[in-house]
Amino acid sequence: MAFLDAELKEQVRQVLSPLQEEVELVVYRGSGLIVPGRDQPGEERAMLELAREVAETSDKVSVVERYLAGDEAAAEAGITLTPTTVFRRKGSDSLNVRFAGLMSGYEFSTMLETILLVGGVHELEGLDEVRAIGVPLRLRTFVTPTCPYCPRAVITAFRFALSNPSITAEAIEANEFPTLSSNYGISGVPDTVVEGRPGAAGVKPTRVLGAQPEPVFVGALKEAVEQALPAAS
């Protein structure tokens, strides 16, 4: 099943033409094993096909298919959902900018914008407060493909993760993973949960509802790490 017709491929080709650095899309798939109490694998084949079609439009974009089973780096990074697409520069081993689910609807624009961010087209300006955070955090932004406001929230989280390797930004297609969405009490999107990564003691979970201005997200990060930082003498 093709996602992009000739006209749309040409549009994507033009959008990605300014890329300065090579970008790698690592698409993780599952083993097909159903784990009780967890969501079943999502649209794995569809996401892999979409990623490959996008990669065909630019010689600076490549796709790598991997399986979660036995992947120690993915396990350490806390990747549990499939498909999960990791965005990183080619040659990097970073796993902290990722999207769980099929990037369809409005999230297709997120996919292209993220490639441009990783590929060096846009500067990561005005993020000094984010770069100063030394506590390992995870931002989970729940989205749906029909939400026009979700891409803004996701890109904000991705900008934070790209500017600070201590931060993991994971967007999650809420409809594709209903059990996880229910566990977090997601009733509307976008909804961004700020929490500590495994091993980050003292982090106070916070959340940002809606596509708020970037300073609101920065405030949520600072509130989350406040108790994890040593008190000033």
Side-chain angles (χ1 to χ4, degrees):
M1 169 184 170
F3 287 91
L4 309 180
D5 59 22
E7 181 179 359
L8 188 51
K9 275 191 175 183
E10 181 55 33
Q11 293 176 10
V12 173
R13 182 176 290 108
Q14 293 177 18
V15 169
L16 299 183
S17 62
L19 281 173
Q20 301 172 12
E21 305 288 343
E22 292 187 67
V23 179
E24 186 175 70
L25 309 181
V26 183
V27 181
Y28 281 95
R29 300 182 63 179
S31 62
L33 178 66
I34 306 301
V35 179
R38 290 191 182 181
D39 288 300
Q40 298 182 21
E43 300 286 347
E44 295 182 349
R45 292 185 180 180
M47 186 61 226
L48 186 61
E49 176 59 29
L50 178 59
R52 286 171 173 166
E53 289 185 26
V54 169
E56 289 173 359
T57 69
S58 173
D59 59 5
K60 290 189 178 295
V61 180
S62 58
V63 178
V64 177
E65 179 184 3
R66 288 189 179 168
Y67 287 86
L68 278 187
D71 192 311
E72 295 182 2
E76 185 176 347
I79 299 177
T80 59
L81 305 174
T82 60
T84 286
T85 303
V86 172
F87 296 82
R88 66 190 186 190
R89 289 193 179 178
K90 192 168 185 179
S92 168
D93 59 1
S94 173
L95 298 173
N96 71 324
V97 176
R98 60 207 195 213
F99 190 104
L102 176 61
M103 301 187 77
S104 61
Y106 285 102
E107 290 309 318
F108 183 64
S109 67
T110 300
M111 183 179 186
L112 300 183
E113 182 68 16
T114 305
I115 292 173
L116 293 174
L117 275 173
V118 175
V121 176
H122 303 306
E123 295 293 331
L124 297 172
E125 300 175 344
L127 295 173
D128 291 344
E129 289 183 288
V130 175
R131 292 188 179 95
I133 293 175
V135 178
L137 295 178
R138 178 171 64 181
L139 281 65
R140 284 186 142 176
T141 302
F142 290 83
V143 304
T144 62
T146 57
C147 169
Y149 308 105
C150 289
R152 179 178 175 183
V154 175
I155 292 300
T156 296
F158 283 178
R159 276 171 46 83
F160 289 1
L162 288 169
S163 69
N164 186 339
S166 294
I167 297 173
T168 292
E170 182 180 44
I172 300 167
E173 210 281 72
N175 294 331
E176 208 163 330
F177 302 103
T179 301
L180 184 64
S181 300
S182 177
N183 290 343
Y184 277 96
I186 304 301
S187 58
V189 292
D191 190 344
T192 301
V193 178
V194 182
E195 60 189 9
R197 291 199 324 216
V203 175
K204 171 188 174 184
T206 60
R207 63 202 308 159
V208 178
L209 299 175
Q212 302 292 341
E214 199 165 88
V216 175
F217 283 84
V218 174
L221 267 62
K222 293 170 70 174
E223 181 182 352
V225 302
E226 188 176 29
Q227 297 183 32
L229 298 177
S233 57

